[in-house]
Amino acid sequence: MHHPSHIAPVLRAIPHTAVTIADRFWTPRLENNRRRSLFQQYHYLNETGVLANFRNVHQPWDGIYHGLFFSDSDAYKWLEAAGYSLATHPDPRLRRLTDELIRLIAAAQMADGYLNTYFQLVEPEKRFTNFGVCHELYTAGHLIEAGVVHFQATGRPDLLNVARRLADLLTRTFGPGKLEAVDGHAGVELALIRLHRLTGAAAYLDLAAFFINARGRSDSRLRLELAQLERIAGRPGKPGQNNRKHFGSYEAYDGRYAQDHLPVREQSEAVGHAVRATYLYCAMADLAQETGDSALLEALRRIWRHVTARRLYVSGGIGPSRANEGFTRDYDLPNDTACAESCAAVGMVFWNHRMLQLTGEGRFADLMERVLYNAFLAGVSLDGGKYFYNNPLQSQGDCHRREWDECACCPPNIARLLASLGGYIYSLSPGGLAVHLYIQSSVTARLAGGAEFTLRQTGDYPWEGRISLALELAEPADFELRLRLPGWCRSHQLRINGIPADPPLAEGYLVIARRWSPGDSLLLELAMPAERVQAHPRVWQNAQKVALQRGPLLYCLEAADHAVPVEQILLPENAPLTGSFYPDLCGGVVALEGEALAPSLENWADRLYRFAEPAVALRPVRLRAVPYYCWDNREPGAMTVWIPRLNP
Amino acid sequence: MHHPSHIAPVLRAIPHTAVTIADRFWTPRLENNRRRSLFQQYHYLNETGVLANFRNVHQPWDGIYHGLFFSDSDAYKWLEAAGYSLATHPDPRLRRLTDELIRLIAAAQMADGYLNTYFQLVEPEKRFTNFGVCHELYTAGHLIEAGVVHFQATGRPDLLNVARRLADLLTRTFGPGKLEAVDGHAGVELALIRLHRLTGAAAYLDLAAFFINARGRSDSRLRLELAQLERIAGRPGKPGQNNRKHFGSYEAYDGRYAQDHLPVREQSEAVGHAVRATYLYCAMADLAQETGDSALLEALRRIWRHVTARRLYVSGGIGPSRANEGFTRDYDLPNDTACAESCAAVGMVFWNHRMLQLTGEGRFADLMERVLYNAFLAGVSLDGGKYFYNNPLQSQGDCHRREWDECACCPPNIARLLASLGGYIYSLSPGGLAVHLYIQSSVTARLAGGAEFTLRQTGDYPWEGRISLALELAEPADFELRLRLPGWCRSHQLRINGIPADPPLAEGYLVIARRWSPGDSLLLELAMPAERVQAHPRVWQNAQKVALQRGPLLYCLEAADHAVPVEQILLPENAPLTGSFYPDLCGGVVALEGEALAPSLENWADRLYRFAEPAVALRPVRLRAVPYYCWDNREPGAMTVWIPRLNP
């Protein structure tokens, strides 16, 4: 028996539907997402046969299943993104596409609620046999999320009904004394909790809790499958081959890939596939929020401390290895071969947003912001048309975004986060409102006491640290405003109605509790100089190097800006760096510029190695660093985040 | 028509059977090879079913083919190694094993001469259909080499006869107007030239020339195969899958993997799979030697300049990428993920040895020595029992030699080079004798003029640079001695019979032409300080780093010698390094020692990143570098060759 001590969430996120974004930085990206990305992604879903799979379930079929096992999930994620978008920006053309797709999906559902076109078309007798690699529950989770979001967005229950029929099949099929499985790819757990929150049905929460608590059992189903490879589902000609690849053998089972190595409350380290990890951590946070189970939150805190102290790229990316798309060893953070999958960045935003609501602690908002502006945003091109799967921090010029991949998980994942970005900016706190992100926007909040007010942010973040906040309220009211003081900021000033103020700092937030009057305003100035950042000496890839940051943005050097190969640039410790805004550079960015040095290439002739000279001959070079998120948007070339530092 | 201008080889290598090695450094390795490695390798060939494949051709078969397509070649390479060993060190036990294996092989040969157990057992109807990936001719080449060597070693023609029957099948099958193919993996070409040299039969040389000249044809057979994937041989269940992986598609054929991108005389860059490349270059050198074709030598010189200026590890290893086990881009030399396959090091020794005989130029001997003492020698453990496939120049402690791999090409390749090492030390020059390697040994040479003499080297190379050479001859004779002055050596002294001498330097050799008398002696002293080496600034992985060298040996830092993680060690430019011999360290080595620095780990707490301090707090650490070849022979741990340099 488990007797949790009780915790209560500190904050309640304000949904994106209550927030209006009008931001110089983000609005163009959100419009690209709405006007281009969603339609281009639909085009590819159609063209690559993902939609045909649904059609083929109830039509004569040519025998060709399109895409990977879990390609259905890409369609569902797209629907979720479209749903968020429709909720704030109704678009008849998008609405038509979603309605059509929902009809296609609904028609493919079996009488008992089952829906997974791979199993329906290719291996109907093998459903619910290979949880290790077939993503059957993960895919169901994405349908459930899409159903919830579409209902919330449009009020129409059609997709939600499909999702519930499938969820009901899951509650009938899985659980104690029934089929006791977990999915190799987490995702269904957090989806079931979303469905529970919408419907109030306890069965969904119970099943989510079952899935979460079943992870790490000694009689793991994922382990059992390794002894049954011939009897479980798998790709034609390769039955169960990937189970061994990811989980070892029955005798030497290694569940880390799916975070199935320990019961979740005993986990302390981030291991395995990075996306799976973040989705599981989200579900744990959701379950903690629903049940008040402090042991879950403590485990999440341990894992979070471990990730942030040992396994996090400076971009906020996670999962260094492409072999397992996930974690390896402490301090192993290769720059050039980094996986740092875009979906893992999305997962990090989801997870940190949940940790933030549970705890109210700014460290989670700091990391959420770091990921959003760097690891996440680098995943999509400036025009919204191309995507990175891997996000290296160094490239020799051969790594480029693509419009689509066979494994197309990232594009719709990026789209669903962008389409719901407004939901990450504000939360209701017990005493008022917390501002997590400095995105020009307005939010209308109704406090517990009944007072309603509108807060309007203006400024030019992330290019400038001057943020104006204006309050609109009908009559004076007592409440607190919590303004996040970012972890990257070393100096700030606050004025309230023009008068310098020095409110207390709590958990990374300036807490201003007072009686607010109509027309009150705040001016927060965050100093935003160019900063050099160093990595812990145990990260050998970054020894004697610095990365450049300004505000929330990580910077990089690109070949397009340099006369010498970027990997040759050395940054003297005392070289000043100046930030200037260039409206025509990468859609308008602050670039950091200064004088650096590069080795002289004289006297090398055709040699590759030579005796080291005591003093390396150096020549001055002009350095220009651009934000990391916008790399690979100009002519292809090398890129590096970490720059060798040179003693003066 | 091709009209080559004529070239003639400058040197003629003295075979290992005419050389007796008695060397403090090499003799223990050669004894390990003879007494342990050969028997252990035989054990694994037997245990993994490589030998059973031959038996199964003429016995009832259980249907299980053992190993990769080309596992026969491992048995042949082992036989070649055993042959070299039997030629200098007759060993009844080894002789019994080889005789038994030769009987097994002979019994497996088909009436028409065909012999390849994969095709005989698994896909008999598919022989000679998939040259791109099945290694059928490559495997034949190793049989031919083994046959030649066994005949030379023992005078017994049994294996040679098997090899000739197969070679005769090849001459009947392949060539102009017959089957016009090349093998995806070069190897048969140099083998056929060896067979030609032994037998004098022109057909073998002609076929070798055909295979060499057919590479890079626009109607490449390897390209054609991409349009016939269903009709050609391949692994069960994956017909031809790897053809696409390595060569693209029929429409977009990329022959680089097999050096099939250009006719050989038009090639200028080292591309593709590194082992294949070196074997092809060996064959080109052999053909140039046989035909005097200067265009072949010019191509080889271009390729060699390209490799050495752009694509060579400081260890002498080649082929940075594990994806293609080969070349990538200029200056792309990652340390941690390096492939630098041991077999490619063997191939580099073969190729440079051939270039040396063709040209007499010391640069080829320099590289041969660099590879031998570093990239090659690192491939085998000190006790001769374990092997590296990949040879990274940096490890986080998770890279270890193994006794055997599924792809077991490296162990017998290393064994055949060690067993014939004596053949790389000396050559006859037109006027006398050239000494390429300073290995304690004696050689008896008969000059063109008829004079015979014995040269005896003594010294303690590579630990000390003092080399004594004593001449034994019956009566005074005029001839030249060429003593290689290594490229790594910046200062030397020579004494002849105790008297300082300053002979001319030609092509990297001190040329001493005089009348020699019985009892004459030479003393060559090569200064051997610890040296810092830097890489060309375009090698980004080594920016602001140095490697340590002493004499021919590259050094590295291993965790076993250091209190701090080796990746944190910084080497001040002015820190002196002292070499001292430690008899109990790694079998006895000169270690380089000095005071280095490492970042202080104070004030990091649990942070992974922090604002860079203008002056990094450093603490002194004792540095000890050991020769690279002996890394991973003590407790497992991190290793690095390249050390960040610190301005004083």
Side-chain angles (χ1 to χ4, degrees):
Chain A
M1 291 295 291
H2 180 71
H3 299 284
S5 63
H6 190 73
I7 55 158
V10 175
L11 302 177
R12 193 149 53 85
I14 295 179
H16 79 297
T17 46
V19 176
T20 305
I21 294 177
D23 185 81
R24 180 176 171 195
F25 183 85
W26 283 104
T27 295
R29 296 166 212 289
L30 304 187
E31 291 197 352
N32 279 339
N33 189 54
R34 200 167 61 239
R35 294 185 179 156
R36 173 173 186 168
S37 308
L38 286 175
F39 292 98
Q40 181 179 301
Q41 290 177 18
Y42 182 88
H43 164 80
Y44 276 106
L45 289 169
N46 192 42
E47 183 157 272
T48 59
V50 171
L51 306 188
N53 288 335
F54 292 104
R55 207 174 288 117
N56 287 333
V57 170
H58 49 85
Q59 277 188 353
W61 182 42
D62 66 0
I64 298 172
Y65 174 81
H66 301 279
L68 305 173
F69 298 127
F70 50 94
S71 70
D72 291 2
S73 68
D74 297 330
Y76 300 149
K77 252 189 288 189
W78 180 86
L79 273 173
E80 185 184 342
Y84 291 130
S85 186
L86 290 171
T88 54
H89 296 79
D91 174 338
R93 198 171 136 232
L94 184 61
R95 180 66 183 261
R96 254 196 322 277
L97 293 181
T98 59
D99 287 354
E100 191 181 307
L101 177 52
I102 290 169
R103 273 195 299 276
L104 211 54
I105 291 168
Q109 187 166 39
M110 295 175 72
D112 66 351
Y114 189 81
L115 181 45
N116 183 304
T117 68
Y118 173 79
F119 282 96
Q120 290 171 271
L121 292 171
V122 184
E123 299 191 86
E125 75 291 359
K126 294 277 180 76
R127 69 145 98 158
F128 296 148
T129 62
N130 187 349
F131 297 96
V133 307
C134 287
H135 294 6
E136 214 167 354
L137 298 176
Y138 160 87
T139 301
H142 278 302
L143 172 58
I144 293 167
E145 285 201 274
V148 168
V149 168
H150 259 271
F151 178 78
Q152 290 172 328
T154 66
R156 280 179 52 170
D158 40 5
L159 189 60
L160 179 63
N161 287 339
V162 176
R164 285 200 72 162
R165 279 196 294 273
L166 176 54
D168 292 340
L169 172 66
L170 300 187
T171 59
R172 291 195 305 275
T173 307
F174 296 90
K178 295 183 267 185
L179 185 42
E180 303 198 3
V182 298
D183 200 77
H185 197 314
V188 72
E189 302 84 353
L190 68 88
L192 286 166
I193 297 177
R194 287 187 89 165
L195 187 59
H196 159 74
R197 287 174 178 166
L198 179 71
T199 62
Y204 304 136
L205 180 61
D206 291 345
L207 182 57
F210 167 77
F211 284 139
I212 293 168
N213 295 329
R215 232 162 256 270
R217 277 167 52 160
S218 58
D219 61 343
S220 167
R221 171 88 190 190
L222 305 187
R223 180 181 177 210
L224 189 65
E225 288 169 4
L226 295 165
Q228 305 179 333
L229 291 181
E230 298 308 316
R231 306 207 320 255
I232 65 178
R235 283 207 220 188
K238 299 204 279 179
Q241 181 171 317
N242 286 336
N243 297 66
R244 278 206 193 286
K245 175 179 164 194
H246 296 309
F247 299 105
S249 64
Y250 180 78
E251 294 72 24
Y253 175 66
D254 181 351
R256 287 179 298 172
Y257 183 66
Q259 297 78 42
D260 190 40
H261 57 302
L262 279 175
V264 293
R265 288 171 191 76
E266 297 169 28
Q267 296 191 17
S268 298
E269 300 201 335
V271 298
H273 188 278
V275 180
R276 294 163 205 231
T278 57
Y279 287 9
L280 176 64
Y281 305 154
C282 285
M284 289 163 67
D286 288 343
L287 187 59
Q289 179 164 350
E290 294 302 318
T291 63
D293 181 345
S294 65
L296 281 171
L297 180 58
E298 282 315 306
L300 290 171
R301 283 187 181 281
R302 288 193 304 270
I303 294 166
W304 191 90
R305 281 194 299 267
H306 176 247
V307 171
T308 54
R310 310 283 178 97
R311 301 191 172 186
L312 181 75
Y313 282 101
V314 69
S315 62
I318 53 169
S321 169
R322 294 179 191 178
N324 67 344
E325 300 178 326
F327 297 102
T328 55
R329 290 174 301 277
D330 286 351
Y331 301 109
D332 180 33
L333 295 163
N335 294 306
D336 52 341
T337 60
C339 177
E341 188 185 333
S342 296
C343 282
V346 171
M348 278 292 269
V349 173
F350 291 168
W351 177 33
N352 280 280
H353 187 234
R354 283 163 164 86
M355 295 297 283
L356 175 61
Q357 311 313 313
L358 275 176
T359 66
E361 296 168 18
R363 69 185 76 187
F364 301 111
D366 279 350
L367 183 49
M368 181 174 82
E369 184 188 59
R370 177 184 290 269
V371 179
L372 258 183
Y373 281 88
N374 302 294
F376 165 74
L377 197 52
V380 56
S381 61
L382 294 178
D383 64 6
K386 294 183 176 176
Y387 306 89
F388 275 132
Y389 191 99
N390 302 312
N391 290 277
L393 279 76
Q394 180 163 42
S395 164
Q396 293 191 56
D398 53 353
C399 178
H400 307 296
R401 292 181 190 84
R402 305 205 297 181
E403 293 197 350
W404 205 248
D405 277 301
E406 189 193 12
C407 183
C409 49
C410 297
N413 222 349
I414 292 171
R416 68 174 174 152
L417 177 48
L418 285 173
S420 57
L421 183 69
Y424 295 83
I425 306 175
Y426 304 101
S427 292
L428 290 178
S429 69
L433 182 85
V435 182
H436 309 305
L437 298 176
Y438 295 112
I439 295 178
Q440 289 182 84
S441 57
S442 61
V443 59
T444 299
R446 183 180 297 276
L447 301 179
E452 186 177 277
F453 66 92
T454 295
L455 181 76
R456 197 177 303 279
Q457 284 196 57
T458 51
D460 197 9
Y461 197 90
W463 308 126
E464 298 303 334
R466 196 181 156 91
I467 300 137
S468 298
L469 299 121
L471 275 168
E472 296 167 18
L473 62 172
E475 52 191 42
D478 291 307
F479 57 92
E480 69 174 28
L481 279 182
R482 290 180 170 249
L483 304 183
R484 180 174 145 261
L485 187 61
W488 54 257
C489 179
R490 299 211 261 188
S491 160
H492 73 280
Q493 284 194 323
L494 178 70
R495 286 169 186 268
I496 302 175
N497 297 326
I499 298 159
D502 190 15
L505 182 67
E507 302 290 9
Y509 288 79
L510 298 168
V511 183
I512 311 131
R514 54 175 270 170
R515 166 155 294 207
W516 298 98
S517 297
D520 277 351
S521 69
L522 302 93
L523 180 65
L524 177 62
E525 293 190 84
L526 306 173
M528 216 179 248
E531 298 271 19
R532 289 162 163 85
V533 173
Q534 64 185 102
H536 192 286
R538 291 195 59 187
V539 184
W540 62 263
Q541 291 93 347
N542 302 337
Q544 291 296 98
K545 294 182 180 176
V546 290
L548 303 180
Q549 266 184 207
R550 182 176 177 276
L553 294 173
L554 176 67
Y555 278 71
C556 68
L557 306 184
E558 277 205 285
D561 295 307
H562 296 93
V564 302
V566 296
E567 64 272 19
Q568 293 176 32
I569 295 173
L570 312 171
L571 187 58
E573 300 285 25
N574 56 356
L577 294 169
T578 313
S580 308
F581 188 80
Y582 290 90
D584 297 329
L585 183 63
C586 295
V589 300
V590 169
L592 305 181
E593 294 169 309
E595 291 295 332
L597 293 166
S600 163
L601 297 186
E602 283 170 30
N603 304 322
W604 274 100
D606 251 2
R607 283 177 300 183
L608 187 51
Y609 303 102
R610 71 178 189 198
F611 296 119
E613 289 160 6
V616 180
L618 298 170
R619 57 196 164 130
V621 294
R622 189 86 193 142
L623 171 147
R624 174 192 269 186
V626 295
Y628 170 71
Y629 75 77
C630 67
W631 84 278
D632 192 44
N633 276 286
R634 294 177 291 168
E635 57 266 46
M639 178 278 291
T640 188
V641 165
W642 291 96
I643 311 167
R645 61 198 296 182
L646 203 64
N647 297 337
Chain B
M1 291 295 290
H2 181 67
H3 301 281
S5 61
H6 190 74
I7 54 157
V10 175
L11 301 177
R12 194 149 51 87
I14 295 178
H16 80 295
T17 46
V19 176
T20 305
I21 295 176
D23 185 82
R24 179 175 171 196
F25 183 84
W26 283 104
T27 295
R29 294 166 213 289
L30 304 188
E31 291 197 353
N32 279 340
N33 190 53
R34 199 167 62 239
R35 294 187 177 153
R36 173 172 185 169
S37 307
L38 286 175
F39 293 98
Q40 182 178 303
Q41 290 178 17
Y42 183 88
H43 165 80
Y44 276 107
L45 288 169
N46 192 42
E47 183 156 273
T48 60
V50 172
L51 307 187
N53 288 335
F54 291 104
R55 206 174 288 117
N56 287 334
V57 171
H58 49 85
Q59 278 189 352
W61 181 42
D62 67 0
I64 298 172
Y65 173 83
H66 302 278
L68 305 174
F69 298 128
F70 49 94
S71 70
D72 292 0
S73 68
D74 297 329
Y76 301 148
K77 251 187 291 187
W78 180 86
L79 273 174
E80 185 185 342
Y84 291 131
S85 186
L86 289 173
T88 53
H89 295 79
D91 175 338
R93 197 169 138 233
L94 185 60
R95 180 67 184 259
R96 254 195 324 276
L97 294 181
T98 60
D99 287 354
E100 190 182 306
L101 178 52
I102 290 170
R103 272 196 299 276
L104 211 54
I105 291 169
Q109 188 166 39
M110 295 175 73
D112 67 351
Y114 189 83
L115 180 46
N116 182 303
T117 67
Y118 173 78
F119 283 96
Q120 291 170 271
L121 291 170
V122 184
E123 298 192 87
E125 74 292 357
K126 294 277 180 76
R127 68 145 99 156
F128 296 147
T129 61
N130 187 349
F131 297 96
V133 308
C134 287
H135 295 7
E136 215 168 352
L137 298 177
Y138 159 87
T139 300
H142 277 303
L143 172 58
I144 293 167
E145 285 201 275
V148 168
V149 168
H150 259 271
F151 177 76
Q152 290 172 328
T154 64
R156 278 180 54 171
D158 42 3
L159 189 60
L160 180 63
N161 287 339
V162 176
R164 284 200 73 163
R165 279 196 294 274
L166 176 54
D168 292 340
L169 173 66
L170 299 186
T171 61
R172 291 195 306 275
T173 308
F174 296 90
K178 295 183 267 187
L179 186 41
E180 303 197 3
V182 297
D183 200 77
H185 197 314
V188 71
E189 302 84 355
L190 68 88
L192 285 166
I193 297 178
R194 287 186 89 165
L195 186 59
H196 159 74
R197 287 175 179 165
L198 179 72
T199 62
Y204 304 137
L205 180 62
D206 292 346
L207 183 57
F210 168 77
F211 283 139
I212 292 168
N213 294 329
R215 231 160 257 272
R217 277 166 52 158
S218 58
D219 61 343
S220 168
R221 170 89 190 191
L222 304 187
R223 180 180 176 211
L224 189 66
E225 288 169 5
L226 296 165
Q228 305 179 333
L229 291 183
E230 297 308 315
R231 306 207 320 256
I232 65 178
R235 281 207 221 188
K238 300 205 276 180
Q241 181 171 316
N242 287 336
N243 297 66
R244 277 205 192 288
K245 176 179 164 196
H246 296 309
F247 300 105
S249 64
Y250 180 78
E251 295 71 25
Y253 175 66
D254 181 350
R256 288 178 299 174
Y257 182 66
Q259 296 78 42
D260 191 39
H261 57 303
L262 278 175
V264 292
R265 288 172 191 76
E266 296 170 30
Q267 296 190 19
S268 298
E269 301 200 333
V271 299
H273 188 278
V275 180
R276 294 163 205 233
T278 57
Y279 287 8
L280 176 63
Y281 306 154
C282 286
M284 290 164 66
D286 289 342
L287 187 60
Q289 180 165 349
E290 294 301 319
T291 63
D293 183 345
S294 65
L296 281 170
L297 180 58
E298 282 315 306
L300 289 171
R301 282 189 181 280
R302 289 193 304 271
I303 294 166
W304 192 90
R305 281 194 298 268
H306 177 247
V307 171
T308 53
R310 311 284 178 94
R311 299 191 174 187
L312 181 74
Y313 282 101
V314 69
S315 62
I318 53 170
S321 170
R322 294 180 191 177
N324 68 344
E325 299 179 326
F327 297 103
T328 55
R329 288 173 303 277
D330 287 350
Y331 302 109
D332 179 32
L333 294 163
N335 294 307
D336 52 341
T337 61
C339 177
E341 189 186 332
S342 296
C343 283
V346 172
M348 278 292 269
V349 173
F350 290 168
W351 177 33
N352 280 279
H353 187 234
R354 283 163 164 85
M355 296 297 283
L356 175 60
Q357 312 311 314
L358 275 176
T359 66
E361 295 168 19
R363 71 186 74 187
F364 301 111
D366 279 351
L367 184 49
M368 182 174 81
E369 183 187 60
R370 178 184 291 269
V371 178
L372 260 182
Y373 281 88
N374 303 293
F376 165 74
L377 198 52
V380 55
S381 62
L382 295 178
D383 63 6
K386 293 183 178 176
Y387 306 89
F388 274 133
Y389 192 100
N390 302 311
N391 289 277
L393 279 76
Q394 181 162 42
S395 164
Q396 294 190 56
D398 53 353
C399 178
H400 307 297
R401 292 182 191 83
R402 306 206 296 180
E403 294 198 351
W404 204 248
D405 275 303
E406 189 192 12
C407 183
C409 50
C410 297
N413 223 349
I414 291 170
R416 67 175 175 150
L417 178 48
L418 285 173
S420 58
L421 183 69
Y424 295 82
I425 306 174
Y426 304 102
S427 291
L428 290 179
S429 69
L433 181 85
V435 182
H436 308 305
L437 298 175
Y438 296 112
I439 296 179
Q440 291 183 83
S441 58
S442 61
V443 59
T444 298
R446 183 180 298 276
L447 302 179
E452 189 178 276
F453 66 91
T454 295
L455 180 76
R456 197 177 302 279
Q457 283 196 57
T458 51
D460 197 11
Y461 197 89
W463 307 126
E464 297 303 333
R466 194 181 157 93
I467 300 138
S468 297
L469 300 121
L471 274 169
E472 296 167 17
L473 62 172
E475 55 192 40
D478 290 309
F479 59 91
E480 68 173 30
L481 279 182
R482 288 179 170 248
L483 304 185
R484 180 173 145 261
L485 187 61
W488 53 257
C489 178
R490 298 211 261 189
S491 161
H492 73 282
Q493 283 192 323
L494 178 68
R495 287 171 185 265
I496 302 175
N497 297 327
I499 299 158
D502 191 15
L505 183 68
E507 302 290 9
Y509 287 80
L510 298 169
V511 183
I512 310 130
R514 56 175 269 170
R515 165 154 296 206
W516 298 97
S517 298
D520 277 352
S521 69
L522 301 93
L523 180 64
L524 177 63
E525 293 190 84
L526 306 172
M528 218 178 243
E531 299 271 17
R532 289 163 163 85
V533 173
Q534 65 183 102
H536 192 287
R538 292 192 61 187
V539 184
W540 63 262
Q541 291 92 348
N542 302 337
Q544 292 296 98
K545 294 182 181 177
V546 290
L548 304 181
Q549 267 186 204
R550 183 176 177 275
L553 294 174
L554 176 68
Y555 278 72
C556 69
L557 306 184
E558 279 205 282
D561 295 307
H562 296 93
V564 304
V566 296
E567 64 272 18
Q568 294 177 32
I569 295 173
L570 312 171
L571 186 58
E573 301 284 24
N574 57 356
L577 294 170
T578 312
S580 309
F581 188 80
Y582 290 90
D584 296 329
L585 184 61
C586 295
V589 299
V590 169
L592 306 180
E593 295 170 309
E595 290 296 333
L597 295 165
S600 163
L601 297 186
E602 281 169 29
N603 303 322
W604 273 100
D606 251 0
R607 282 177 299 182
L608 187 51
Y609 303 102
R610 71 178 189 200
F611 295 117
E613 289 159 7
V616 180
L618 298 170
R619 59 195 162 131
V621 294
R622 188 88 192 141
L623 171 147
R624 173 192 271 186
V626 295
Y628 171 71
Y629 76 77
C630 66
W631 84 278
D632 193 44
N633 274 287
R634 294 175 293 167
E635 58 265 46
M639 180 278 293
T640 188
V641 165
W642 291 95
I643 312 167
R645 61 199 294 183
L646 203 64
N647 296 338

